């Protein structure tokens, strides 16, 4: 006889850095998980990765979904109590055209919400970003009431995509009839660090750490922002599925204090790694590099940023305390180093 679960969750983007950790946490907390992937090979990879992390995958199944296609969404959501929508294009580099990133982000969120409504889902937990709150602020403190102005020429395409996708999600909820019982919670992570599940270190955070450890970044831009450990972020996502007082909230998942690239490098050096540099790059270097490098251009809007986050509501609603940033950076460096060799 099958063990009763706490509910069935459609988890989009399960094969990603955040998605794998969320799947692990959801399965361990007694939920049945339907993970969205784009191929059967990804199914096998996800299941093997979770099992290698000692996760019981008996309550794991898969659906094949694409953020840019309607195909399969209603079938994947059928019978689900919750949707955790994590899938979204992510790269620091600005794409050649904005639509390459913005259309999948916005349309993917709307497809998840439409499928949720059609399936009678209780709640959707949508992964956004603190970038949708930080805007063009350079110093000070931002909170859930803040919104990034998507018309600003200084924000990156990724920032714009996350902000527009979240805007459209809230607009969708406002369009529902008053008697509709579906709920939305948006989780807004800071920069996501922590050890990966599995051997994939191609994501932005892992790639940045890899380059630092290898000594490939002789100078670092003057940027500091709140961050979060992926393990803490997964706990928050799963709590957001059922926490009654989280309904309708934008949840900041991050340390309150900003962490700079130079601080990250110093933590790694203190661990004994020789590769990281703590030299600060003059602003003109990044500005010049941005003329021909899309990744540098994507970071321009964050230059000289030193922002704090108001996480009081997150702590109050969830009783959530993130682990120290130093611990997260150390664990990230150790995990990436182990996978380099």
């Amino acid at each position: 006889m099958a063990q009763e679960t706490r509910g069935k969750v459609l988890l989009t983007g399960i094969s990603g850095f955040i998605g794998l950790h969320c799947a692990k946490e959801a399965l361990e907390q007694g939920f049945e998980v339907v993970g969205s992937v784009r191929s059967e090979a990804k199914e096998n990879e996800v299941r093997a990765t979770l099992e290698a992390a000692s996760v019981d995958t008996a309550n794991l199944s898969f659906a094949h979904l694409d953020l840019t296609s309607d195909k399969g969404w209603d079938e994947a959501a059928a019978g689900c109590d919750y949707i955790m929508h994590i899938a979204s294009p992510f790269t620091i580099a600005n794409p050649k055209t904005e639509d390459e990133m913005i259309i999948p982000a916005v349309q993917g969120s709307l497809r998840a919400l439409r499928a949720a409504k059609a399936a009678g889902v209780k709640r959707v937990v949508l992964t956004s970003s603190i970038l949708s709150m930080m805007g063009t602020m350079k110093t000070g403190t931002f909170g859930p009431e803040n919104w990034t102005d998507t018309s600003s020429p200084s924000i990156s395409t990724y920032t714009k995509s996350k902000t527009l996708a979240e805007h459209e999600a809230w607009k969708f909820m406002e369009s529902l009839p008053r008697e509709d019982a579906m709920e939305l919670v948006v989780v807004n992570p800071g920069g996501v660090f922590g050890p990966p599940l599995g051997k994939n270190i191609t994501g932005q955070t892992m790639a940045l750490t890899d380059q630092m450890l290898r000594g490939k970044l002789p100078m670092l831009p003057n940027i500091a922002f709140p961050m979060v450990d992926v393990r803490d972020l997964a706990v928050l996502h799963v709590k957001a599925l059922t926490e009654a007082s989280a309904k309708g909230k934008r949840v900041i998942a991050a340390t309150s204090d900003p962490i700079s690239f130079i601080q990250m490098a110093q933590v790694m050096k203190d661990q004994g790694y020789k590769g990281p540099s703590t030299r600060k790059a003059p602003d003109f270097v990044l500005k010049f590099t941005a003329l021909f490098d899309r990744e540098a251009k994507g970071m321009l809007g964050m230059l000289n940023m030193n922002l704090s986050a108001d996480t009081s509501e997150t702590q109050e609603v969830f009783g959530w305390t993130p682990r120290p940033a130093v611990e997260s950076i150390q664990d990230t460096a150790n995990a990436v180093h182990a996978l380099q060799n």
Side-chain angles (χ1 to χ4, degrees), residues 26-288:
L27 288 165
E28 289 179 345
Q29 292 301 321
F31 290 91
E32 182 181 352
V33 173
V34 181
S36 84
V37 291
R38 295 182 67 173
S39 68
E40 192 172 332
K42 279 291 181 186
E43 286 185 31
N44 298 331
E45 179 186 311
V46 168
R47 191 177 293 278
T49 299
L50 289 169
E51 289 176 352
S54 302
V55 179
D56 183 350
T57 60
N59 286 324
L60 174 66
S61 59
F62 295 94
H64 290 195
L65 298 177
D66 188 319
L67 296 177
T68 60
S69 169
D70 288 332
K71 185 179 178 182
W73 282 89
D74 287 349
E75 292 82 357
C80 288
D81 303 288
Y82 310 98
I83 291 182
M84 193 183 292
H85 181 56
I86 298 172
S88 187
F90 175 42
T91 174
I92 293 173
N94 282 344
K96 290 182 179 178
T97 63
E98 283 191 339
D99 285 351
E100 289 178 40
M101 194 178 289
I102 291 173
I103 288 176
V106 173
Q107 292 302 319
S109 294
L110 291 175
R111 284 186 170 92
L113 287 163
R114 286 195 290 263
K117 185 178 185 307
V121 161
K122 298 174 188 176
R123 178 178 283 185
V124 175
V125 175
L126 173 72
T127 310
S128 183
S129 170
I130 57 170
L131 294 173
S132 69
M133 301 176 178
M134 286 164 30
T136 56
M137 294 170 63
K138 294 295 185 182
T139 58
T141 302
F142 64 88
E145 72 284 356
N146 294 117
W147 278 96
T148 293
D149 178 4
T150 55
S151 66
S152 169
S154 63
I155 63 171
S156 69
T157 304
Y158 177 67
T159 297
K160 190 172 182 179
S161 76
K162 296 304 286 186
T163 308
L164 289 172
E166 190 186 340
H167 261 305
E168 290 301 314
W170 288 116
K171 278 172 63 178
F172 178 90
M173 295 302 294
E174 288 169 9
S175 74
L176 295 179
R178 190 179 297 271
E179 64 273 14
D180 197 297
M182 190 171 83
E183 300 172 353
L184 175 65
V185 179
V186 175
V187 178
N188 301 75
V192 186
F193 285 79
L197 286 179
K199 299 179 180 179
N200 188 342
I201 56 171
T202 60
Q204 291 289 165
T205 300
M206 300 298 106
L208 173 67
T209 305
D210 179 51
Q211 287 181 303
M212 282 184 172
L213 292 175
R214 292 183 187 278
K216 300 291 187 182
L217 298 175
M219 294 187 291
L220 299 170
N222 185 30
I223 295 171
F225 51 87
M227 61 171 285
V228 64
D229 189 285
V230 68
R231 295 163 292 187
D232 296 335
L233 181 58
V235 169
L236 202 53
H237 271 81
V238 174
K239 284 187 173 183
L241 293 172
T242 57
E243 174 55 56
S245 57
K247 174 186 174 182
K249 294 194 181 297
R250 305 175 78 203
V251 179
I252 295 178
T255 54
S256 298
D257 297 327
I259 308 296
S260 71
F261 283 8
I262 291 169
Q263 284 174 293
M264 293 177 204
Q266 187 61 56
V267 169
M268 296 178 203
K269 285 177 75 73
D270 291 345
Q271 285 177 271
Y273 292 113
K274 306 298 184 188
S277 166
T278 54
R279 290 181 61 203
K280 184 170 76 172
D283 291 356
F284 76 84
V285 172
L286 188 66
K287 291 176 180 177
F288 174 74

Side-chain angles (χ1 to χ4, degrees), residues 319-339:
W320 183 77
T321 303
R323 72 193 67 205
V326 168
E327 178 187 332
S328 183
I329 294 164
Q330 289 173 338
D331 289 353
T332 307
N334 289 338
V336 171
H337 177 69
L339 291 169

